[in-house]
Amino acid sequence: MGQETTGHAVCPYCGVGCVIQAAVVDNRITKISADKEVGPNYGMLCQKGAYLKDVFHSHDGRLAYPMIRDERGGAPRRVSWTEAIAFVSRRLSEIHRADGDAVGYYGSGQLDTEASYVFTKLFKGSLGTNHTDTNSRLCMSSAVAAYVKAFGSDGPPTCYDDIEHADVFLMIGANMAANHPVLFQMMRKRRARNPNTRIIVVDPRRTKSGQLADVHVPLAPGSDVAFLNLVAKRLHDLGRVDERFARRHTEGFSAYRAMLGALDDKTMLEACDVHPARIHEVVELLAEPCRLLSFYCQGTNQSVVGVDKNVALINLHLQLGAVGNPGAGPFSLTGQPNAMGGREVGYLSHQLPGYRRVADAEHRQDVERHWDLAPGSIRPDPGMTAGEMFEAAADGRLKALWIGGTNPAVSMPDVSVAQAGLRRAELVVVQDCYYPTETAEYADVLLPAAQWGEKAGTMTNSERLVARSEKFLDPPGEAMPDWEVVARIAKKMGFAGYAYGSAEEVWDEYRALTAGRPCDQHGMTNERLSDGPLRWPCPTERHPGATRRYARGRFLTDSGKARFHTPTYRPPDEYTDAAFPLGLTTGRIAGQWHTRTRTGKVEALNRQDPEPFVEIHPDDAAVYDVEDGGWVRLVSRRGDAVGKARVTDGIRQGLLFMPFHWGDLYHPSTNVNYVTSAACDPQSGQPELKFCAVRVERLDYDA
Ligand SMILES: Nc1nc2c(c(=O)[nH]1)N[C@H]1C(S)=C(S)[C@@H](COP(=O)(O)OP(=O)(O)OC[C@H]3O[C@@H](n4cnc5c(=O)[nH]c(N)nc54)[C@H](O)[C@@H]3O)O[C@H]1N2
Ligand SMILES: Nc1nc2c(c(=O)[nH]1)N[C@H]1C(S)=C(S)[C@@H](COP(=O)(O)OP(=O)(O)OC[C@H]3O[C@@H](n4cnc5c(=O)[nH]c(N)nc54)[C@H](O)[C@@H]3O)O[C@H]1N2
Ligand code: SF4
Ligand SMILES: [Mo]
């Protein structure tokens, strides 16, 4: 036995960003823990983090060597890095030369900042295409758009310390007990220490998070704007308005007040379809001065009115003056470990590094200068969004697609379209740590990435905390850090500016580009990050990092004032009718991570929920002759999926829930994304994964 060493890295799962400590002997993890002294998690981990050891116990299913598939449908063959790099560089250059608009990159909040930065530089800078989007489009784009509309900048104003100061928590469209468990734990501790703390949960389902709730509002899916506006109006009528804050620090208040005044209570209540007592209870909890901290995630984001939902929530905070002060604020929960860092790097199709925008001429010039590119190299028009890229691939406009750290053949809405795009594209490059995956089935080239613990890199968590992860394991075979794979291919394509010797060099180039920007990380040197994490903005090397933003009521809009908006209620995009009489919402469970490339390898987690399931209310089960534990098929206007029925009164009558974790490799008929709709919020491009119309059919077989 060799010597035991210890390594630290940010958890590769959710955006809470727990720092994990791994004990390693002979390149194997012997123990996973968390240091009580080290934030943000101070000793806490959830089961997914704790079971990382089991994921890393074998290299089974790892993509360890580059591979090329000579023929679609055939088995890929192992090649050298030299061959793989030459192949990608040649094919990508050929397609790009013929049509600069025909290449795209589809990335992920899974990748570290260094990787997303180099990808963004290659595509937006060297290749001059803004067709670079990521799974954040399906995840955070409505949150981004609402923050920008209200505050003039992306990024939450809050931090985890606020949990210790809050009086009332509002969890709206977030199941934190399952999906952000360590934050849920912090909230539970706050409540245990301070029994007067109140918790409101707004979710059509009664989830585990609801068990902590003083009030649970089981609103109709998609009706959050109606709910939030109604609550705001009632509070307004009770005089719960921070007039001074509204006057000094906001604009648009009178239009907002007029909008509230014109609301018809009855119509709003009908839209929410909840007992009026629930609204009354929420209003009562908020009627007295209190510090309100709101957590929101996919229940608000994944909607055709996702931006409006988030704006309505921010309006409520502005009305109460509940932003910028301890214990208060609208806190958008980040899904993935580095979706925040990816946004800072500018990996969405309308963004550039440092929260810059492609549409802004000055922003483009800043970045072109930093990248030593000729003026005009960066295109001024936003590129295609995730959904648009796969549609364009399906109809032949997008010919080359490089996919890094995401599994769209499972996770895209209306996934048959994405699969058609992958099938039709002339070049599909898949960069992942695992093989097989559903997306890898379409790949012409597979590039093996080193994963968690096998590379150094930087990530930003939900509270703007930037943390450096260490390398403490050797990757299997020839797997390499993502940034290095991209840099080598960029160099082979003949581009200058990719001669990085380490992740630290990439970091230094990137952090300089954030100087003076809202997400300023200029003061975060490699030395400082190796001592511990720091929160942005952190402009200088002596700056301790900011706890809270907008503390003095100065916002990042042109006027320096936060903006009220006037969102109005609109129902979900798809309608139910006689053929598709039920609503379907989709989401996650506590024990699995997305498409299961890692959690699906952990016995203990698979035992918790051994197969895909469908939650259905007892009244609906009676009507459609569905038995608890029996198999059912959901059918929508687009496709169908199979799962095991769970009859429960924890879901609204008329609504079903199915998680999206089980793709075609598990079984070709269990992916709920064959059923979901690709309808998007026109303001953010985020798809409505939280509602579509279906019918349920009982299947008479045992599995
Ligand atoms: N265990 C686990 N944790 C995860 C993940 C995972 O795969 N597994 N994924 C991570 C990622 S990337 C993300 S984005 C987050 C997502 O975290 P969450 O947003 O918490 O997860 P979801 O289950 O998608 O949706 C949350 C809730 O929204 C509710 N909902 C549906 N429609 C509506 C609506 O119209 N209004 C309201 N108010 N609520 C609605 C659903 O019933 C569901 O309980 O989780 C992260 N954490
Ligand atoms: N129906 C429905 N669909 C949804 C959602 C929903 O709520 N309902 N939610 C949407 C949301 S919010 C999200 S975020 C997406 C998530 O969907 P995906 O992004 O498709 O899910 P993951 O399984 O996390 O995919 C990550 C991939 O990256 C690989 N990987 C992990 N670490 C690394 C690394 O360091 N480098 C590289 N190169 N690869 C790595 C993993 O092996 C895996 O194949 O799903 C979306 N789809
Ligand atoms: S709460 Fe999130 S970051 Fe923390 S251990 Fe669990 S999955 Fe990892
Ligand atoms: Mo997400």
Side-chain angles (χ1 to χ4, degrees):
M1 278 243 307
Q3 196 86 40
E4 182 180 281
T5 55
T6 314
H8 295 89
V10 177
C11 176
Y13 296 125
C14 87
V16 174
C18 296
V19 173
I20 293 179
Q21 185 170 299
V24 178
V25 179
D26 293 336
N27 206 36
R28 281 168 72 94
I29 298 176
T30 53
K31 189 171 175 232
I32 289 281
S33 60
D35 190 331
K36 284 200 163 50
E37 307 297 317
V38 177
N41 46 318
Y42 299 103
M44 288 183 274
L45 286 180
C46 80
Q47 55 172 353
K48 287 189 302 305
Y51 278 120
L52 272 171
K53 180 167 152 244
D54 296 35
V55 179
F56 286 81
H57 253 173
S58 81
H59 282 163
D60 271 6
R62 285 299 298 275
L63 176 62
Y65 300 94
M67 297 204 276
I68 287 181
R69 187 178 266 128
D70 295 315
E71 213 182 334
R72 287 285 177 92
R77 63 183 167 88
R78 181 176 157 183
V79 297
S80 66
W81 267 116
T82 311
E83 189 177 344
I85 289 168
F87 181 86
V88 176
S89 136
R90 178 172 56 79
R91 290 292 292 130
L92 197 59
S93 303
E94 281 168 4
I95 296 172
H96 183 252
R97 221 173 298 125
D99 179 356
D101 247 351
V103 301
Y105 163 62
Y106 183 57
S108 171
Q110 205 69 45
L111 304 184
D112 51 39
T113 297
E114 289 80 357
S116 287
Y117 175 73
V118 182
F119 264 124
T120 303
K121 182 173 176 181
L122 172 62
F123 278 80
K124 290 187 172 153
S126 307
L127 290 169
T129 172
N130 292 331
H131 301 324
T132 68
D133 215 50
T134 69
N135 55 9
S136 281
R137 183 66 64 181
L138 319 179
C139 183
M140 306 306 302
S141 56
S142 295
V144 174
Y147 273 144
V148 172
K149 279 183 88 163
F151 300 146
S153 162
D154 185 17
T158 41
C159 64
Y160 300 165
D161 305 1
D162 287 319
I163 294 173
E164 265 311 302
H165 300 286
D167 304 314
V168 180
F169 294 100
L170 170 61
M171 259 182 274
I172 179 164
N175 178 8
M176 294 169 72
N179 302 325
H180 295 93
V182 162
L183 284 188
F184 190 73
Q185 199 54 28
M186 290 182 196
M187 209 156 45
R188 195 191 279 272
K189 284 186 174 169
R190 161 72 178 161
R191 151 99 116 206
R193 275 195 285 266
N194 189 339
N196 292 329
T197 310
R198 291 289 171 261
I199 299 179
I200 302 165
V201 174
V202 183
D203 190 314
R205 301 160 57 223
R206 195 176 63 237
T207 62
K208 278 220 173 74
S209 308
Q211 289 171 1
L212 267 196
D214 296 285
V215 188
H216 170 223
V217 185
L219 83 180
S223 67
D224 303 70
V225 173
F227 166 77
L228 288 161
N229 280 352
L230 185 55
V231 168
K233 175 187 179 171
R234 297 263 174 95
L235 288 169
H236 175 270
D237 294 349
L238 292 173
R240 268 288 270 148
V241 177
D242 188 334
E243 298 276 359
R244 189 165 175 270
F245 182 84
R247 212 171 37 248
R248 288 194 169 186
H249 302 298
T250 72
E251 55 195 22
F253 183 61
S254 36
Y256 172 70
R257 179 169 255 169
M259 185 266 298
L260 292 184
L263 278 184
D264 178 38
D265 285 40
K266 194 160 152 281
T267 317
M268 293 303 107
L269 260 176
E270 275 169 17
C272 301
D273 193 27
V274 290
H275 195 285
R278 298 293 87 76
I279 308 285
H280 183 74
E281 287 158 6
V282 172
V283 170
E284 248 189 351
L285 280 185
L286 297 173
E288 294 303 316
C290 60
R291 287 164 292 193
L292 170 66
L293 192 61
S294 299
F295 289 111
Y296 55 109
C297 200
Q298 300 316 326
T300 65
N301 291 343
Q302 287 173 338
S303 156
V304 289
V305 292
V307 180
D308 281 353
K309 287 182 178 195
N310 296 339
V311 159
L313 178 65
I314 296 174
N315 279 340
L316 177 64
H317 277 266
L318 293 175
Q319 173 181 332
L320 302 179
V323 60
N325 30 11
F331 202 156
S332 135
L333 293 165
T334 313
Q336 303 180 87
N338 197 38
M340 285 281 288
R343 279 141 73 182
E344 292 150 21
V345 149
Y347 71 1
L348 289 172
S349 63
H350 59 291
Q351 300 174 327
L352 285 173
Y355 279 174
R356 291 178 178 87
R357 292 182 311 277
V358 298
D360 187 308
E362 238 174 81
H363 289 179
R364 289 196 305 279
Q365 281 161 19
D366 289 348
V367 179
E368 282 161 356
R369 262 197 305 273
H370 199 76
W371 286 347
D372 268 334
L373 294 172
S377 298
I378 299 174
R379 296 266 301 250
D381 45 330
M384 296 180 210
T385 61
E388 289 166 350
M389 274 205 265
F390 287 99
E391 277 167 30
D395 64 29
R397 281 175 292 140
L398 197 72
K399 299 191 173 66
L401 203 49
W402 187 338
I403 295 165
T406 175
N407 195 359
V410 181
S411 56
M412 286 297 289
D414 192 7
V415 73
S416 318
V417 173
Q419 292 171 351
L422 290 165
R423 215 171 288 124
R424 173 133 191 220
E426 289 168 24
L427 174 67
V428 175
V429 181
V430 172
Q431 185 164 326
D432 206 291
C433 320
Y434 287 93
Y435 180 83
T437 69
E438 286 81 356
T439 304
E441 294 304 296
Y442 300 86
D444 301 297
V445 194
L446 289 148
L447 305 174
Q451 69 161 332
W452 184 82
E454 299 166 353
K455 59 184 172 191
T458 314
M459 294 199 178
T460 310
N461 78 358
S462 253
E463 58 158 352
R464 295 172 282 106
L465 188 77
V466 179
R468 177 63 54 78
S469 294
E470 294 167 351
K471 172 180 191 285
F472 46 82
L473 294 168
D474 292 324
E478 295 174 1
M480 242 194 251
D482 288 287
W483 68 262
E484 196 174 339
V485 176
V486 189
R488 285 199 191 191
I489 291 171
K491 267 195 286 193
K492 181 75 188 169
M493 291 177 84
F495 296 120
Y498 296 91
Y500 308 109
S502 64
E504 284 81 3
E505 282 181 34
V506 181
W507 175 258
D508 275 337
E509 179 181 310
Y510 163 65
R511 83 181 160 94
L513 200 41
T514 66
R517 299 296 306 157
C519 56
D520 200 329
Q521 292 155 48
H522 193 217
M524 299 183 188
T525 59
N526 287 303
E527 294 67 36
R528 289 186 82 188
L529 286 178
S530 64
D531 285 343
L534 290 160
R535 267 193 219 108
W536 63 253
C538 175
T540 65
E541 293 184 18
R542 287 228 177 74
H543 196 287
T547 311
R548 222 162 268 111
R549 301 170 81 196
Y550 314 132
R552 286 184 208 93
R554 264 209 312 279
F555 294 87
L556 293 165
T557 53
D558 292 341
S559 62
K561 293 181 173 189
R563 291 189 208 112
F564 278 101
H565 293 272
T566 52
T568 49
Y569 166 72
R570 261 197 306 131
D573 175 72
E574 209 172 33
Y575 54 92
T576 52
D577 60 11
F580 303 101
L582 296 168
L584 168 72
T585 192
T586 64
R588 300 160 165 75
I589 56 174
Q592 294 296 338
W593 179 261
H594 297 159
T595 70
R596 298 175 70 247
T597 58
R598 282 179 302 223
T599 48
K601 295 181 172 63
V602 182
E603 270 276 315
L605 295 177
N606 287 333
R607 265 201 307 274
Q608 289 174 20
D609 295 282
E611 64 263 312
F613 62 87
V614 178
E615 287 180 2
I616 179 167
H617 189 273
D619 294 353
D620 294 321
V623 171
Y624 299 102
D625 194 23
V626 168
E627 272 173 33
D628 189 47
W631 289 90
V632 293
R633 173 186 287 126
L634 306 184
V635 186
S636 76
R637 295 183 176 95
R638 294 155 295 277
D640 59 277
V642 170
K644 218 173 198 180
R646 285 191 187 170
V647 179
T648 164
D649 65 1
I651 188 155
R652 283 174 60 92
Q653 193 263 316
L655 185 68
L656 308 172
F657 168 77
M658 186 168 176
F660 74 103
H661 302 295
W662 289 271
D664 287 1
L665 285 179
Y666 174 81
H667 190 280
S669 67
T670 52
N671 184 357
V672 74
N673 278 327
Y674 287 114
V675 175
T676 52
S677 152
C680 286
D681 183 322
Q683 297 187 74
S684 66
Q686 179 156 355
E688 185 154 73
L689 286 157
K690 291 288 180 268
F691 193 81
C692 69
V694 294
R695 66 169 173 266
V696 59
E697 296 171 354
R698 172 194 174 124
L699 294 174
D700 284 311
Y701 57 72
D702 291 329

